[in-house]
């Protein structure tokens, strides 16, 4: 199948993903507020969103942000969370091998859960638009960076987040994400193991290592169950 990389493909991806990107912007505002509460400046929070473009990992990094900075815990935890992008990017290989490496790898920077899902659906339909991912990713990137800056600016004048209940924002976001990821009873045991280990780890381990420990052991249980 012929795959082209054209401006019309970028525009199609951008237009298709724009409504989804508006929804992602809600998380961007929340991330900006939380980043300011964690001690990042508006510029630092915005720069993180511009160069990382990984909402769940950024939210976890902010949750782990402390003094002294737990660099190893942040790196390992975000690495595990982002490992799925390796498989998602590899799934695009049948189409991206038809375009230049610069265009292919440049587009892969914009892989998110949303842009990947829309792009691979477009490619499987036979549209042959190799630039669709770039356009879809740009829509999310623009909204994510802009709303992060707005949220960080607002977060700087809020003061104590507990006055407005904003200290619960991160928990609410992950509950919303978890509901979307729930696939049925087969997920129950890994989730229970992850939660139980995290609770025990929070009492037994220093810092925020319980987050990583719970996530890893829950993932191991899921892999073992799937054989």
């Amino acid at each position: 199948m012929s795959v082209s990389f054209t401006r019309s493909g970028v525009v199609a991806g951008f237009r298709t993903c724009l409504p989804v990107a508006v929804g992602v912007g809600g998380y961007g505002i929340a991330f900006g507020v939380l980043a300011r509460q964690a001690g990042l400046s508006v510029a630092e929070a915005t720069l993180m969103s511009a160069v990382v473009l990984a909402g769940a990992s950024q939210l976890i990094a902010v949750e782990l942000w402390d003094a002294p900075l737990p660099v190893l815990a942040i790196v390992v935890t975000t690495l595990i969370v982002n490992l799925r992008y390796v498989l998602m990017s590899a799934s695009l290989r049948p189409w991206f091998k038809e375009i230049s490496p610069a265009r292919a790898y440049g587009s892969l920077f914009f892989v998110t859960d949303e842009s990947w899902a829309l792009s691979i659906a477009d490619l499987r339909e036979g549209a042959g638009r190799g630039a669709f991912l770039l356009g879809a990713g740009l829509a999310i990137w623009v909204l994510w960076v802009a709303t992060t800056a707005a949220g960080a600016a607002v977060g700087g004048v809020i003061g104590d987040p507990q006055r407005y209940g904003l200290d619960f924002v991160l928990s609410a976001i992950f509950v919303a994400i978890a509901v979307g990821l729930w696939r049925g009873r087969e997920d129950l045991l890994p989730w229970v193991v992850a939660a139980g280990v995290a609770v025990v780890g929070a009492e037994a381990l220093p810092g925020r290592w319980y987050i990583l420990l719970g996530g890893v052991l829950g993932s191991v249980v899921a892999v073992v169950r799937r054989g």
Side-chain angles (χ1 to χ4, degrees):
M1 181 184 66
S2 176
V3 177
S4 61
F5 195 93
T6 63
R7 180 179 296 180
S8 62
V10 175
V11 173
F14 191 93
R15 287 178 175 173
T16 303
C17 194
L18 189 56
V20 177
V22 172
V24 172
Y27 291 105
I29 292 174
F31 169 73
V33 172
L34 293 169
R36 285 306 304 274
Q37 301 305 328
L40 276 72
S41 67
V42 175
E44 290 169 339
T46 305
L47 180 62
M48 180 188 286
S49 284
V51 301
V52 177
L53 189 60
S57 297
Q58 290 179 234
L59 288 166
I60 291 174
V62 167
E63 172 67 12
L64 294 172
W65 210 269
D66 204 349
L69 195 64
V71 176
L72 181 60
I74 291 176
V75 170
V76 174
T77 304
T78 54
L79 174 64
I80 292 173
V81 171
N82 285 336
L83 278 177
R84 70 187 188 282
Y85 290 128
V86 175
L87 298 177
M88 292 163 65
S89 299
S91 69
L92 296 169
R93 171 67 179 167
W95 297 280
F96 275 31
K97 68 180 181 183
E98 303 294 330
I99 61 179
S100 70
R103 289 172 171 174
Y105 288 110
S107 297
L108 291 177
F109 169 77
F110 295 97
V111 168
T112 65
D113 296 324
E114 297 83 3
S115 64
W116 173 83
L118 292 172
S119 298
I120 202 157
D122 185 74
L123 290 167
R124 285 174 176 171
E125 289 175 355
R129 295 185 291 206
F132 189 96
L133 173 63
L134 176 59
L138 279 172
I140 289 179
W141 185 85
V142 169
L143 267 295
W144 179 247
V145 174
T147 54
T148 293
V154 172
V157 298
I158 286 178
D160 184 2
Q162 293 185 0
R163 291 175 54 193
Y164 308 97
L166 293 177
D167 55 319
F168 186 68
V169 168
L170 186 61
S171 300
I173 288 175
F174 279 107
V175 168
I177 293 175
V179 170
L181 293 174
W182 175 259
R183 294 172 301 177
R185 295 179 59 183
E186 62 181 293
D187 286 339
L188 181 59
L189 181 58
W191 287 34
V192 169
V193 170
V197 170
V199 170
V200 174
E203 298 296 327
L205 299 173
R208 307 296 178 86
W209 286 100
Y210 64 90
I211 298 176
L212 176 61
L213 186 62
V216 169
L217 292 184
S219 300
V220 169
V221 171
V223 170
V224 170
R225 291 198 68 193
R226 288 175 177 272

